[in-house]
Amino acid sequence: MKRIISILALLTLMSLCACGQWYLFPLGKGKSPKDTATLMKMKPEAKKDTVLMNPNPTTDAGETAGGVGNEEMEDNEDFFVLDIPDVVNISMILPINASGKANANFLAMYTGGLLAARDLGSNGMKIDFNIYDAADPSAPMSHDMIDESDVIIGPVSTEDLQKALSLSHTGKRIISPLEPKAASLTDSCRVIQAPTAWCDQIDDLFKWIEEESVIGDEVIVVRDTVLTGQGEQYNYMISKLEESGIRFKTVYSASSAVPSVIGNTRFLIASDRDAFISASARQIGAFSIKRKKGNTYLYITSRMRNAKGLDPQQLYRSNARVTMSYFIDYSDESVKNFILAYRALFKDEPASFAFQGYDTVNYFTRMCAKYGRQWYMKLSEAPEFKGLQSNYSFKETEMAGQVNRAVKRIVYRPDMSADVQ
């Protein structure tokens, strides 16, 4: 059964809430929905509504909740205006009922997107926002559904993305909102990959080392011999490191490393094994405490930060520098505003999926409203957009697709504080 749920109807469902799923977003778990049944019992013939608020748009779209990205979307002389729609038609295609009951994660993503649409509409943007259940076999995706949409967020799985592409013409782009493996479709298909890949996190680590290093510093790579030639991220890191031109020393245990006499010591861990990562981080933390001159820095990705058995205190002790695709800075005013607005509307705490839904709808809707129905032609030229949880900065692939390259840099300090650079 086709689920077309209007934005105005959902704004009345004050008890709706959501929770994030740990395996996709390990930044924090939400709570279980209190009333998902209300959402799923809505009639399939529910009318699609258009949000028509404030015919004179302001420049502060998003102020009600997150209020993010305003400065990144300012006029740029290099841009030219395309076919600007009077009403931005957004379709979000998610597997709401994939397991036979309402999926809390995708409901969270939907409610986050709904709040973004409300904020943009409250500041003058005209939006037609629709949600479709990709898991409903009785009403599969149709050509008309995709053809009528200006911004198409989802489906999630690679298989469903391929189906959506087969139904769309060459002038449409499908936004992959979650699945990292869908990045493989961007080289030959009209897919825009919203999540940042782990390889971009590694690339940014090397840039970060080069930016921070000074004369006398030493780079030490703690190399795992167990998975030599087997670990995907291990192989990529070693290959890219050798190409980078960074001078480094290799050790097979951080405990055997000797501090630089005159400078700082900067560590990289080359491994795909949680046990090796956590043990190395512990040794580097001890190394940092014992040294008498210079500082110790550990450069890792979000994959390593979330390794099983890793003691978070070691990140602070070793002045860790972490590159991440997703990070929520709860001290940021925009994040605080979003949380307050979400609580007021849905009577629950927003989980990571809700932040992701907000960022995705907020960014791509802004792009369409500013640059027209062929907004995707301007993605690679647009300045980086800073969201609540994700940043966006796109690069075209060899074919028609585009991939998000934006990475967040998180700094851990010995005083037990952490901030975003």
Side-chain angles (χ1 to χ4, degrees):
M1 181 175 66
K2 186 176 181 182
R3 307 283 181 186
I4 305 176
I5 306 173
S6 70
I7 181 173
L8 296 184
L10 260 294
L11 287 175
T12 65
L13 299 181
M14 302 300 287
S15 62
L16 188 64
C17 63
C19 73
Q21 189 163 335
W22 197 251
Y23 77 91
L24 275 178
F25 295 109
L27 303 178
K29 253 182 181 177
K31 301 177 182 178
S32 298
K34 297 172 184 173
D35 188 13
T36 55
T38 305
L39 172 63
M40 303 319 298
K41 288 180 180 178
M42 294 192 70
K43 295 181 180 180
E45 62 270 24
K47 180 182 177 183
K48 295 189 292 184
D49 290 307
T50 301
V51 179
L52 301 176
M53 301 180 182
N54 186 2
N56 298 310
T58 68
T59 58
D60 293 325
E63 183 177 278
T64 307
V68 296
N70 301 320
E71 68 280 359
E72 289 85 356
M73 299 296 287
E74 293 176 354
D75 288 329
N76 187 322
E77 293 180 358
D78 294 333
F79 283 81
F80 61 89
V81 178
L82 300 175
D83 179 19
I84 304 295
D86 293 330
V87 177
V88 179
N89 293 283
I90 307 169
S91 287
M92 184 174 274
I93 309 171
L94 301 174
I96 302 291
N97 265 322
S99 59
K101 61 181 180 179
N103 184 294
N105 308 307
F106 298 121
L107 284 176
M109 189 170 183
Y110 166 62
T111 53
L114 186 66
L115 186 52
R118 189 202 69 168
D119 288 349
L120 294 170
S122 295
N123 284 274
M125 194 177 294
K126 299 179 181 180
I127 298 171
D128 186 346
F129 186 92
N130 303 289
I131 180 75
Y132 296 88
D133 187 356
D136 186 354
S138 65
M141 290 178 287
S142 67
H143 170 79
D144 290 342
M145 179 222 308
I146 293 176
D147 191 53
E148 294 171 1
S149 303
D150 301 312
V151 176
I152 307 163
I153 300 173
V156 173
S157 70
T158 302
E159 181 182 359
D160 284 341
L161 283 166
Q162 290 173 323
K163 290 179 182 177
L165 286 166
S166 68
L167 296 170
S168 65
H169 58 72
T170 56
K172 293 292 180 180
R173 296 296 183 271
I174 309 295
I175 300 164
S176 170
L178 293 173
E179 176 54 67
K181 294 180 181 179
S184 61
L185 297 176
T186 61
D187 287 332
S188 59
C189 302
R190 302 179 308 281
V191 172
I192 295 171
Q193 181 69 359
T196 307
W198 57 262
C199 55
D200 290 306
Q201 296 181 38
I202 293 176
D203 291 345
D204 197 64
L205 280 183
F206 300 147
K207 294 179 184 177
W208 206 350
I209 291 174
E210 291 178 326
E211 291 169 8
E212 292 193 326
S213 294
V214 296
I215 296 175
D217 286 3
E218 185 172 52
V219 177
I220 297 179
V221 179
V222 186
R223 194 163 176 171
D224 187 353
T225 58
V226 174
L227 284 178
T228 300
Q230 299 177 26
E232 183 181 33
Q233 296 191 29
Y234 170 92
N235 288 335
Y236 184 86
M237 176 176 283
I238 295 300
S239 174
K240 286 298 205 178
L241 187 58
E242 292 173 345
E243 296 174 3
S244 68
I246 297 175
R247 297 182 63 182
F248 65 93
K249 179 189 296 183
T250 298
V251 298
Y252 299 100
S253 172
S255 59
S256 66
V258 178
S260 172
V261 176
I262 61 174
N264 304 305
T265 305
R266 304 181 185 277
F267 282 96
L268 283 165
I269 301 174
S271 177
D272 283 37
R273 293 193 303 130
D274 285 3
F276 186 87
I277 293 168
S278 58
S280 298
R282 183 171 58 254
Q283 293 165 1
I284 293 168
F287 177 98
S288 177
I289 293 173
K290 290 189 298 184
R291 72 177 306 163
K292 303 195 183 303
K293 291 185 179 181
N295 294 314
T296 300
Y297 300 95
L298 169 61
Y299 295 81
I300 59 175
T301 65
S302 60
R303 156 72 182 88
M304 297 178 181
R305 171 186 176 269
N306 298 312
K308 293 180 180 178
L310 178 65
D311 182 357
Q313 289 191 358
Q314 307 305 332
L315 301 180
Y316 296 100
R317 290 173 182 167
S318 56
N319 293 292
R321 270 72 171 131
V322 188
T323 54
M324 305 183 70
S325 301
Y326 307 111
F327 184 81
I328 302 170
D329 181 3
Y330 287 96
S331 66
D332 184 86
E333 288 301 319
S334 296
V335 171
K336 293 178 181 178
N337 291 338
F338 172 79
I339 293 173
L340 291 174
Y342 193 95
R343 286 173 181 168
L345 187 58
F346 301 114
K347 305 302 181 185
D348 200 16
E349 297 299 309
S352 294
F353 272 75
F355 283 92
Q356 188 71 358
Y358 187 94
D359 285 343
T360 307
V361 171
N362 187 27
Y363 176 65
F364 290 104
T365 304
R366 284 170 176 269
M367 287 295 295
C368 181
K370 189 169 184 65
Y371 304 119
R373 290 188 171 91
Q374 290 182 301
W375 51 268
Y376 50 84
M377 296 176 62
K378 296 301 180 183
L379 280 176
S380 60
E381 301 175 41
E384 183 170 334
F385 182 92
K386 300 184 183 301
L388 299 175
Q389 176 174 263
S390 304
N391 293 350
Y392 297 100
S393 179
F394 285 87
K395 179 181 178 181
E396 291 183 350
T397 63
E398 294 181 359
M399 302 298 288
Q402 292 177 307
V403 178
N404 184 16
R405 304 291 189 188
V407 172
K408 288 197 172 188
R409 293 179 174 184
I410 316 302
V411 175
Y412 288 79
R413 306 187 188 282
D415 63 1
M416 303 300 286
S417 65
D419 57 70
V420 183
Q421 280 198 350

